[in-house]
Amino acid sequence: MPALAAASHVMPTYRPFDVAFVRGEGAYVWDEAGRRYLDFNAGIAASALGHAHPAMVAALSEQAQKIWHTSNIFRIPGQVELADRLTAATFADLVFFTNSGAEAIECAIKTARKYFSARGEGNRQRVITFDGAFHGRTLGALAAGGNAAYLDGFGEPLSGFDQVAFGDHEALEAAIGPHTAAILVEPIQGEGGVRALPPQCLTGLRRLCSERGLLLIYDEVQCGMGRTGALFAHQRAEGAAPDIMAVAKGIGSGFPLGASLATSDAASGMVVGTHGSTLGGNPLAMAVGGAVLDVMLADGFLSSVVALGDALGARLERVVADYPDQLAEVRGAGLLRAVQCKHDNRVLLNACIDRGLLAAGGGDNVLRLVPPLIIDESHLAEAETLLRAALDDVAAGEGAG
């Protein structure tokens, strides 16, 4: 089992393994001792283009020699360019740039509430969310997620959120009331256990919101930016476009960048002075975001993710069939996959790290496999071999320390 890092002057809100990576290339990282690991964690699904991608290195290096930061009281040409490209590829008309997914969620919630306030319906401020959701660690995002363990000790949760059971259509209908403004949902829950809403449910949510006069908000922080083989996960469902969408992680492929996208109608209340960010949308982030889109929108890139995702899913199905005492099922889509564990998922996660495979845990006792989108079949074969070895270690009692 990997050792935990020794205490330091860093605030102890994490329990990191005592492994420090000093170099990365493509789908691999190397630690201080020179050991190589296959990275199917990818910064928890953030490093979408892997490590040291040439296009990203070039874009960041070039911009770093020009200008880093000016603030949003001046026009930032890179914002205009990236917003144009994002809206051209999505449902949206407008974009607000942030530094993280939690900030993008906060902006999305504010946008929805301000929409109704600007229309003279300030009493419509409540947002329906779902159990198992994870929307970030700010107080507003925590309240939206509703996870009691994350909320503990921070006082009364911010009001305005009504949580219903994941997939319970009757409970969702019953939760809609005269004060409801929006429904906030992840098309695929990441932290919550890689639980996917079927395409017909996304289409049904769009229809429900249109019929009831609600705004539909998607959290695509983890499942967006090519992760499922579509640029955004909801695009795999017909007629399921949201009014507002929060994105991050893959949009910067490891660089701090997020965005809240919206239709012009949904964002009609977001006028001068209603929201802001000192560093959000700075020239460095815009250069990186543009480079990421260059790669992801190139011919064949997303179709490759679909093929690789199908291949990963098939490999995991075989692994589950061969280890029925340890694994229950395969979940997810594209290169956002998970296997549900029958025993403590942390034991298998530790065993994978020992074997040189980086993965991630997740809710509902899953092991997540979220590799960079630039992998090939050889990486899938290597990951399967390492995962099987880790499962053998656990069965032999070598990963339970």
Side-chain angles (χ1 to χ4, degrees):
M1 174 180 177
L4 294 176
S8 72
H9 292 288
V10 176
M11 191 175 289
T13 57
Y14 303 109
R15 294 186 63 198
F17 296 116
D18 194 15
V19 182
F21 301 112
V22 296
R23 184 169 70 89
E25 182 179 339
Y28 295 97
V29 290
W30 285 260
D31 67 17
E32 293 166 310
R35 185 186 181 193
R36 190 182 77 168
Y37 298 75
L38 179 61
D39 189 1
F40 270 45
N41 176 303
I44 313 181
S47 299
L49 300 184
H51 302 279
H53 192 285
M56 293 182 60
V57 171
L60 185 59
S61 299
E62 181 180 352
Q63 185 60 50
Q65 296 176 64
K66 295 178 179 178
I67 191 165
W68 289 29
H69 175 64
T70 60
S71 93
N72 286 294
I73 65 172
F74 302 103
R75 180 170 58 86
I76 300 176
Q79 285 192 21
V80 177
E81 295 169 11
L82 188 54
D84 284 349
R85 298 183 68 187
L86 287 169
T87 55
T90 66
F91 69 95
D93 303 306
L94 298 168
V95 182
F96 181 91
F97 291 107
T98 69
N99 304 289
S100 68
E103 291 174 77
I105 286 291
E106 292 285 340
C107 180
I109 294 169
K110 289 179 68 175
T111 299
R113 290 182 169 182
K114 195 67 173 177
Y115 169 81
F116 286 101
S117 175
R119 290 161 54 96
E121 300 178 76
N123 62 323
R124 296 184 63 177
Q125 299 286 294
R126 304 196 69 81
V127 178
I128 296 174
T129 61
F130 297 85
D131 69 356
F134 181 81
H135 298 299
R137 295 278 193 165
T138 58
L139 289 174
L142 284 177
N147 187 314
Y150 294 157
L151 286 163
D152 182 48
F154 296 111
E156 188 72 21
L158 295 181
S159 63
F161 298 97
D162 299 305
Q163 195 167 63
V164 301
F166 182 83
D168 190 332
H169 299 277
E170 292 184 2
L172 174 60
E173 290 266 9
I176 299 173
H179 302 300
T180 304
I183 295 173
L184 167 61
V185 64
E186 299 160 275
I188 302 177
Q189 288 188 344
E191 298 290 332
V194 190
R195 299 192 295 176
L197 280 175
Q200 63 269 24
C201 289
L202 293 176
T203 303
L205 280 174
R206 174 67 275 171
R207 186 182 308 114
L208 176 65
C209 286
S210 297
E211 291 173 351
R212 303 295 289 270
L214 309 177
L215 296 178
L216 178 58
I217 308 171
Y218 287 148
D219 177 344
E220 291 228 21
V221 168
Q222 185 162 152
C223 64
M225 293 307 298
R227 178 89 10 215
T228 64
L231 188 60
F232 294 102
H234 75 270
Q235 293 174 331
R236 301 180 307 135
E238 186 175 352
D243 301 290
I244 306 168
M245 179 173 67
V247 300
K249 289 187 182 283
I251 193 173
S253 194
F255 193 92
L257 173 59
S260 186
L261 287 70
T263 65
S264 55
D265 182 49
S268 57
M270 299 299 279
V271 297
V272 173
T274 55
H275 199 48
S277 173
T278 297
L279 289 166
N282 70 73
L284 291 173
M286 297 300 92
V288 171
V292 170
L293 274 186
D294 287 343
V295 175
M296 289 192 178
L297 295 180
D299 289 344
F301 183 86
L302 293 175
S303 60
S304 173
V305 174
V306 172
L308 289 164
D310 290 345
L312 176 58
R315 286 180 179 275
L316 292 177
E317 292 286 357
R318 292 194 293 270
V319 172
V320 168
D322 290 343
Y323 292 85
D325 293 338
Q326 295 191 57
L327 303 176
E329 66 174 348
V330 179
R331 297 178 179 178
L335 292 176
L336 174 53
R337 299 283 178 167
V339 289
Q340 188 181 36
C341 301
K342 292 185 176 179
H343 308 293
D344 189 346
N345 62 349
R346 293 172 296 181
V347 175
L348 180 55
L349 176 61
N350 292 337
C352 285
I353 296 172
D354 281 339
R355 282 287 178 174
L357 174 64
L358 303 183
D364 209 18
N365 204 39
V366 303
L367 180 83
R368 274 181 292 168
L369 297 168
V370 284
L373 307 184
I374 47 80
I375 59 169
D376 58 34
E377 284 280 356
S378 69
H379 298 113
L380 296 182
E382 183 180 358
E384 181 182 351
T385 298
L386 295 172
L387 177 58
R388 287 178 179 273
L391 286 162
D392 290 338
D393 291 343
V394 172
E398 297 174 14

